[in-house]
Amino acid sequence: MALRCAESIRNAVPDVNFFTKPFKHVVIDDFFDISLAKQCLESFPDSSSPEWERTHDVDIEIKQRSKWQSEFDIPDGIVAAIRILNSAIFLEAMSDLFDIKKLVPDPYFSGGGLNVTLHDGLLDVHVDGNYHDATGLNRRINAILYLNPNWEKSWGGEFGIYDNKGEQCMKKIPPLFNRLVIFDTHDFSFHGLPDPINFPVNEPRRSIILYYYTKEERPA
């Protein structure tokens, strides 16, 4: 399965599912085999679980994220997906598509892992920090796998891609089940979820988010 996943990245078609403006990003639907995608969804912790780290700043961020510190914290039903996303073959495919050499994953999962956004949750438009405290490496790529099988447009929650000033939304990507979004993260890759979502109270917006780094700094 890892080979098929990597090939879906390598075979991305310009202006069909791979885009360079306003910054490089790729959108791959039906990314995992359906059995693995369903397994990830079924293994997702309940939003009321005490294992979530919760942030509630009404002007910046209202969401929950996992508190993984290593692979051993990952739920059994999700670990296979993480291993694929952090595998050498997958890293090489991203490296080739985005022309960023020597990508490495984050074994510490600093900020990465599972994300949940409940009804009225949001994430303001922003660019990501570049420095990894534990390693001194520089963040270069973000990958997001969405796990929302019943999503409807009226729920909102699309991933917003903005211009290089973070002022105008250039594209909204629906958070569909088993859809993978990868994007180049740098000082002008503004993105976010600024409008409070309208997901049902009993059905949160779910995603897996992973970050990738290089020793080389981001381009100026």
Side-chain angles (χ1 to χ4, degrees), residues 123 183 200 203:
L123 178 61
F183 64 96
E203 189 151 5

Side-chain angles (χ1 to χ4, degrees), residues 151-171:
W151 184 81
E152 298 179 10
K153 187 174 178 60
S154 62
W155 296 5
E158 296 95 335
F159 176 69
I161 291 179
Y162 288 75
D163 64 8
N164 63 8
K165 294 182 180 179
E167 296 174 351
Q168 181 179 357
C169 185
M170 308 298 288
K171 178 187 290 189

Side-chain angles (χ1 to χ4, degrees), residues 28-214:
I28 307 292
D29 287 334
D30 303 316
F31 179 68
F32 285 131
D33 287 349
I34 190 63
S35 59
L36 179 55
K38 288 182 177 179
Q39 182 176 298
C40 288
L41 178 61
E42 292 166 359
S43 303
F44 224 88
D46 187 87
S47 60
S48 62
S49 170
E51 62 192 86
W52 293 105
E53 176 183 288
R54 293 171 170 82
T55 304
H56 191 96
D57 186 323
V58 295
D59 295 320
I60 299 176
E61 182 179 50
I62 303 175
K63 61 182 289 189
Q64 300 175 186
R65 71 178 73 193
S66 58
K67 296 184 284 187
W68 299 349
Q69 295 182 334
S70 76
E71 184 177 301
F72 299 104
D73 296 325
I74 303 173
D76 289 342
I78 297 176
V79 69
I82 302 302
R83 287 173 177 164
I84 291 172
L85 292 168
N86 282 345
S87 67
I89 189 171
F90 187 76
L91 294 173
E92 290 167 356
M94 288 194 298
S95 179
D96 290 343
L97 182 65
F98 285 84
D99 194 25
I100 300 176
K101 306 306 178 187
K102 301 181 180 179
L103 284 170
V104 295
D106 175 18
Y108 300 90
F109 297 99
S110 297
L114 307 182
N115 271 243
V116 162
T117 308
L118 302 175
H119 183 83
D120 283 338
L122 56 83
L123 178 61
D124 199 17
V125 179
H126 65 286
V127 294
D128 294 316
N130 69 313
Y131 189 75
H132 190 285
D133 290 334
T135 64
L137 298 176
N138 297 282
R139 194 195 301 187
R140 305 296 300 279
I141 292 285
N142 289 9
I144 308 173
L145 180 80
Y146 291 107
L147 294 169
N148 304 298
N150 302 311
W151 184 81
E152 298 179 10
K153 187 174 178 60
S154 62
W155 296 5
E158 296 95 335
F159 176 69
I161 291 179
Y162 288 75
D163 64 8
N164 63 8
K165 294 182 180 179
E167 296 174 351
Q168 181 179 357
C169 185
M170 308 298 288
K171 178 187 290 189
K172 290 185 176 182
I173 301 174
L176 301 182
F177 181 70
N178 205 17
R179 166 174 280 178
L180 181 73
V181 176
I182 305 174
F183 64 96
D184 187 357
T185 180
H186 50 66
D187 293 347
F188 300 98
S189 56
F190 285 93
H191 59 282
L193 185 71
D195 300 319
I197 68 170
N198 193 37
F199 274 54
V201 172
N202 61 345
E203 189 151 5
R205 182 182 185 272
R206 300 178 180 91
S207 62
I208 299 173
I209 301 180
L210 295 177
Y211 306 133
Y212 304 90
Y213 297 80
T214 64

